[in-house]
Amino acid sequence: MRPEILFPFFKPITALKGVGPRISVLMEKITGPHIVDILWHLPSSYVDRRFSPKISDAPDHTVVTLDITVMKHYPSRNRRAPYKIACFDETGPMDLVFFNARGDYLKKQLPEGERRIISGTVERFNGVLQMTHPDHIGLPEELETIQTVDPVYPLTAGVTNKTMGKAVTSALEQVVDLPEWLDLSFKTKQGWDNWKESLIKAHHPVEEEDFFADHPARARLAYDELLANQLALALVRRTVRKASGRIIKGDGHLRQKVRDSLPFALTGSQEESLKEIADDMAQPLRMLRLLQGDVGSGKTVVALLTALNAIEAGMQAVIMAPTEILARQHMETIEPLLAGTGITPIILTGRDKGKKREAILDQIKSGKAQLAIGTHALFQEDVEFDNLGLAVIDEQHRFGVHQRLAMAGKGQHVDVLVMTATPIPRTLMLTAYGDMDVSRLLEKPAGRKPVDTRVMALNKLEDVAHGIGRMVSKGARIYWVCPLVEESDKIEIAAAEERFSHLKSLYGDRVGLVHGKMKPTEKDTVMAAFARGDIDVLVATTVIEVGVNVPEATVMIVEHAERFGLAQLHQLRGRIGRGMDASTCILLYGAPLSENGQARLKIMRETEDGFVIAEEDLRLRGAGEVLGTRQSGLPEFRLALLPAHENLLAAARDDVKLILEKDPELQTERGQALRTLLYLFEEDACVTYLRSG
Ligand code: ADP
Ligand code: MG
């Protein structure tokens, strides 16, 4: 249960001054629903009102705070004309200008003949200084409160900076300082303040440096967030591992049979990973391991041989994919490889219903099905296993962190191997998995030819459309990827359909189309036709992104490549260069291309190393954008900025290790404070993994 001290933090934002029910709806969109969310909403810039020149010295286009006397009001003569108020100081005159003004209100605020303090941006019109809509109007004695630095917040339509500033001030007033969860010597060494002081400072920037990632206030808040993240992950992981696993150690007879039938030798990386995984499975602890391998690095074979290890030991294994297409593809790859082993894999996806599904469930429950391949349908509640020993989860970056944990909870003693083709930069790996065991397939299977990547402007599209004719006639198979439209699936599909009919007019029946809104059976039919070579040109939206394997495909064209994330482009390009023939990738961009866009496409041209691409992507775009966070399942941070706070992340990880060694159940005074930290960052679920304090 959330500690009482945090109750005020989780009150709705309507409990703040100036936040009514109407404004709160708008505000929530960018902050979140609770007071704590307002605290995390840090300013992005500031307005310095400390400059107070005389009227004649005020420079154009600057923010100034002036001490003036009101001379005369000139109400607007019609609705569009401005309301003007002539003012002066000892150096000269100036005008205040208001549009859509209420005269009675202005008369009260700025009575003729009286002194007032005003603050805002000034400029000169026909030599006369003018301030339109002052940000502040106050009495002479309010000079010092106005003459400060105002934080400027990221806003949304309908919420002014004043409203946001008031809400933040009110939020800061309502919350108390919290017991210190930082290690004191570390805190001193970093030169950090207490939590609340840091928060107040972060909300009151007075110079450029206050926005730097290494500014003490910002750094401390970022560290707190990263510490909560690392602690939560460590607790989950410890709980999963602690659930005693079983020793899984097959005799190797099935694996040998499959190895003998493979048309290739395993790469060094594959062998090494298999050994690491087998060693892990042989431990009495529960395995929770990540197999990281770029597209085409040969993860499927590793998954199969790992599954066979469990099956040799008399247990069942599942291999789970995020989509129907991929599950079927795994089935098609794996089934023939099992010929001669006496093992018949079964497949279960969301498409299986009624009697058919029941029959499959029976086989799984009786243990007759030793290997089950499928989608998340395999993890529905009514799916019972006889003796599940291993779950392989493929391409799991499509699943969120929490889903992943739920899956790990499915079988009590099940070893879990998650496979990802997304080369997540090390930094981000840590935020999503903590210190998870990782095996990596760094080596590509032999015989791969590098993909020749070219970058061209979209106005070359007609040339490209005609140019592929030559390739088609030589038997090449071509992916044509249509632009990503973030806002609308409909527009995306319409674009794909248009390109489809365009290419059909050139190449007739040799062209096929797949997109996300097609029925799974229709999609499969088209994909299968492409795999067989009945179709040569496959027009697609990004549904082909993950995992699909057609070794004969040697050309990929991507429209509006600049709209895709680098990781996504890398995934797409990984669909080609899988066979023995040389491959070409053409990235078409919409001009003009931003500098950042140029840099990103340049990386695509220069390297095929997924890890290099991922690191560069992180550097160029920041963590928020990498991998399209929406679908990546990576956590989003409010205060920490990656990669800028990378060093803090590493420190938090080490900190957590020490904390859990010394105080595994968070019982000490610092431990209690850390529990509060977990609640503060809404990691409530993780606290349940601890003995009650
Ligand atoms: P991914 O890691 O993207 O899932 P796959 O497992 O689909 O990669 O493998 C890609 C292709 O490489 C498949 O056609 C597979 O048969 C082949 N392959 C896998 N391992 C090797 C190897 N050691 N040598 C040659 N080809 C291999
Ligand atoms: Mg794969």
Side-chain angles (χ1 to χ4, degrees):
M1 272 240 298
R2 182 182 293 150
E4 222 162 295
I5 194 172
L6 292 183
F7 288 179
F9 293 80
F10 288 91
K11 279 197 256 174
I13 56 177
T14 45
L16 296 169
K17 258 180 240 152
V19 185
R22 205 181 47 82
I23 280 285
S24 79
V25 174
L26 301 171
M27 211 148 163
E28 264 183 37
K29 274 195 251 167
I30 45 165
T31 59
H34 300 126
I35 288 183
V36 69
D37 297 312
I38 298 280
L39 297 177
W40 300 156
H41 195 65
L42 296 184
S44 51
S45 66
Y46 62 91
V47 180
D48 191 341
R49 304 189 184 283
R50 290 173 300 182
F51 182 39
S52 284
K54 294 292 170 199
I55 288 177
S56 64
D57 301 331
D60 260 20
H61 309 291
T62 50
V63 174
V64 294
T65 299
L66 301 175
D67 185 342
I68 49 101
T69 301
V70 182
M71 193 157 62
K72 193 169 167 38
H73 283 238
Y74 296 96
S76 32
R77 265 159 290 130
N78 59 57
R79 283 187 50 152
R80 251 170 300 153
Y83 189 118
K84 283 196 182 183
I85 303 176
C87 307
F88 65 93
D89 70 6
E90 64 269 30
T91 67
M94 73 167 294
D95 288 333
L96 293 179
V97 177
F98 298 85
F99 291 90
N100 302 314
R102 279 185 16 233
D104 47 344
Y105 172 78
L106 288 178
K107 286 239 163 74
K108 232 199 263 167
Q109 289 271 301
L110 296 154
E112 290 177 4
E114 292 202 16
R115 246 179 82 208
R116 284 292 182 272
I117 306 298
I118 53 165
S119 185
T121 309
V122 287
E123 57 188 324
R124 275 188 174 71
F125 263 101
N126 301 324
V128 180
L129 194 70
Q130 189 167 301
M131 185 186 290
T132 307
H133 292 239
D135 302 320
H136 294 280
I137 301 172
L139 299 169
E141 57 268 30
E142 288 177 293
L143 175 65
E144 275 183 21
T145 50
I146 292 176
Q147 222 177 25
T148 53
V149 183
D150 282 354
V152 174
Y153 290 95
L155 299 170
T156 179
V159 181
T160 64
N161 194 54
K162 230 184 202 158
T163 309
M164 186 63 85
K166 251 198 220 151
V168 172
T169 305
S170 167
L172 287 169
E173 277 163 13
Q174 296 204 17
V175 304
V176 292
D177 202 358
L178 296 169
E180 187 55 82
W181 47 73
L182 293 183
D183 174 68
L184 292 184
S185 65
F186 178 68
K187 180 181 165 194
T188 311
K189 208 172 112 213
Q190 298 286 336
W192 290 345
D193 289 320
N194 285 348
W195 175 76
K196 184 154 182 199
E197 249 167 87
S198 305
L199 194 60
I200 291 172
K201 281 191 185 156
H203 276 288
H204 294 94
V206 293
E207 54 183 359
E208 280 307 311
E209 280 74 23
D210 295 346
F211 294 93
F212 293 177
D214 61 357
H215 181 266
R218 293 220 164 208
R220 145 117 221 198
L221 297 178
Y223 187 79
D224 293 338
E225 185 174 40
L226 294 167
L227 186 63
N229 161 266
Q230 289 298 293
L231 187 54
L233 285 167
L235 290 175
V236 170
R237 183 179 136 78
R238 187 179 74 180
T239 308
V240 171
R241 290 225 36 144
K242 233 176 18 190
S244 54
R246 285 183 292 176
I247 294 176
I248 303 178
K249 211 171 170 178
D251 62 8
H253 77 280
L254 295 171
R255 279 175 284 176
Q256 197 52 53
K257 268 199 189 130
V258 169
R259 274 168 177 269
D260 290 345
S261 70
L262 286 176
F264 48 73
L266 296 183
T267 64
S269 283
Q270 282 170 322
E271 292 287 7
E272 215 170 289
S273 296
L274 280 166
K275 188 177 170 331
E276 285 165 2
I277 295 164
D279 287 349
D280 213 348
M281 290 170 81
Q283 301 287 319
L285 288 174
R286 202 167 153 196
M287 175 170 80
L288 187 58
R289 177 174 285 274
L290 188 71
L291 177 65
Q292 216 182 4
D294 222 338
V295 273
S297 59
K299 292 186 293 298
T300 316
V301 144
V302 175
L304 174 61
L305 292 173
T306 299
L308 289 174
N309 183 20
I311 294 168
E312 284 164 5
M315 299 175 196
Q316 288 169 294
V318 297
I319 297 178
M320 186 172 134
T323 65
E324 183 95 31
I325 291 187
L326 286 168
R328 303 218 168 262
Q329 190 167 334
H330 278 321
M331 186 70 176
E332 275 155 35
T333 314
I334 286 171
E335 208 169 14
L337 291 174
L338 289 174
T341 60
I343 292 168
T344 316
I346 59 153
I347 181 161
L348 178 71
T349 70
R351 213 194 291 167
D352 301 308
K353 300 255 155 66
K355 282 256 150 48
K356 188 168 169 220
R357 179 164 187 272
E358 268 166 45
I360 297 169
L361 293 194
D362 280 347
Q363 288 201 46
I364 294 176
K365 191 174 174 184
S366 70
K368 236 180 96 190
Q370 293 164 290
L371 177 60
I373 296 169
T375 57
H376 58 270
L378 279 169
F379 281 92
Q380 259 141 34
E381 256 173 48
D382 58 339
V383 181
E384 281 178 64
F385 289 85
D386 173 43
N387 184 12
L388 183 64
L390 172 84
V392 179
I393 302 169
D394 191 12
E395 308 286 8
Q396 51 67 52
H397 69 277
R398 290 290 176 106
F399 304 108
V401 178
H402 292 283
Q403 258 175 307
R404 203 156 50 217
L405 295 176
M407 288 185 281
K410 181 78 187 177
Q412 292 256 307
H413 308 284
V414 176
D415 279 358
V416 176
L417 178 70
V418 285
M419 306 200 294
T420 175
T422 310
I424 306 167
R426 247 200 74 72
T427 330
L428 298 189
M429 278 281 297
L430 217 50
T431 66
Y433 303 97
D435 265 341
M436 195 168 179
D437 298 311
V438 180
S439 295
R440 280 180 164 188
L441 298 178
L442 293 172
E443 218 175 318
K444 292 233 172 143
R448 290 280 155 77
K449 298 234 172 63
V451 176
D452 176 16
T453 300
R454 299 181 201 175
V455 177
M456 291 179 202
L458 260 176
N459 61 18
K460 294 272 161 44
L461 189 139
E462 263 319 305
D463 298 348
V464 172
H466 284 92
I468 59 173
R470 250 179 304 122
M471 305 180 189
V472 170
S473 65
K474 276 196 266 169
R477 247 168 277 168
I478 296 167
Y479 288 111
W480 189 297
V481 181
C482 290
L484 186 74
V485 183
E486 284 279 347
E487 315 84 59
S488 161
D489 290 353
K490 263 212 196 96
I491 301 177
E492 192 166 300
I493 288 166
E497 274 165 351
E498 195 187 314
R499 186 65 59 229
F500 172 61
S501 47
H502 168 216
L503 292 172
K504 225 174 145 112
S505 72
L506 297 174
Y507 306 114
D509 287 346
R510 312 302 302 163
V511 188
L513 171 69
V514 280
H515 61 66
K517 285 278 145 65
M518 281 164 68
K519 288 206 198 90
T521 44
E522 291 172 348
K523 251 192 278 188
D524 291 358
T525 311
V526 179
M527 287 304 304
F530 185 63
R532 275 196 311 270
D534 295 347
I535 291 172
D536 301 311
V537 183
L538 183 68
V539 178
T541 55
T542 47
V543 290
I544 57 157
E545 185 193 336
V546 174
V548 176
N549 188 27
V550 180
E552 295 83 359
T554 52
V555 181
M556 167 149 310
I557 291 140
V558 184
E559 284 185 48
H560 277 294
E562 80 282 359
R563 293 189 195 165
F564 292 82
L566 281 190
Q568 215 173 2
L569 285 178
H570 178 66
Q571 288 268 6
L572 284 169
R573 188 171 57 184
R575 306 294 112 224
I576 57 173
R578 298 190 143 213
M580 290 302 148
D581 295 327
S583 295
T584 308
C585 174
I586 299 174
L587 302 176
L588 296 169
Y589 63 86
L593 200 51
S594 69
E595 214 170 282
N596 197 286
Q598 285 178 28
R600 291 171 46 215
L601 293 184
K602 183 161 169 265
I603 293 163
M604 291 305 296
R605 216 175 45 216
E606 285 173 355
T607 181
E608 276 188 71
D609 184 327
F611 287 98
V612 173
I613 290 171
E615 296 287 350
E616 282 296 303
D617 204 17
L618 179 62
R619 201 176 57 75
L620 286 170
R621 292 198 304 165
E625 301 289 321
V626 172
L627 314 165
T629 313
R630 211 156 34 103
Q631 58 166 17
S632 68
L634 295 171
E636 284 177 69
F637 293 115
R638 307 283 299 269
L639 305 163
L641 256 174
L642 294 171
H645 286 133
E646 205 170 342
N647 54 336
L648 295 183
L649 178 62
R653 181 200 53 194
D654 296 344
D655 202 357
V656 163
K657 238 187 236 162
L658 276 177
I659 289 166
L660 292 182
E661 266 169 33
K662 282 199 238 157
D663 181 16
E665 298 299 326
L666 302 185
Q667 305 271 14
T668 63
E669 198 182 332
R670 185 179 179 210
Q672 297 293 343
L674 285 160
R675 286 174 182 236
T676 305
L677 174 72
L678 288 172
Y679 281 111
L680 185 64
F681 283 98
E682 298 175 64
E683 299 282 9
D684 301 26
C686 295
V687 187
T688 59
Y689 295 126
L690 293 163
R691 239 181 285 137
S692 59

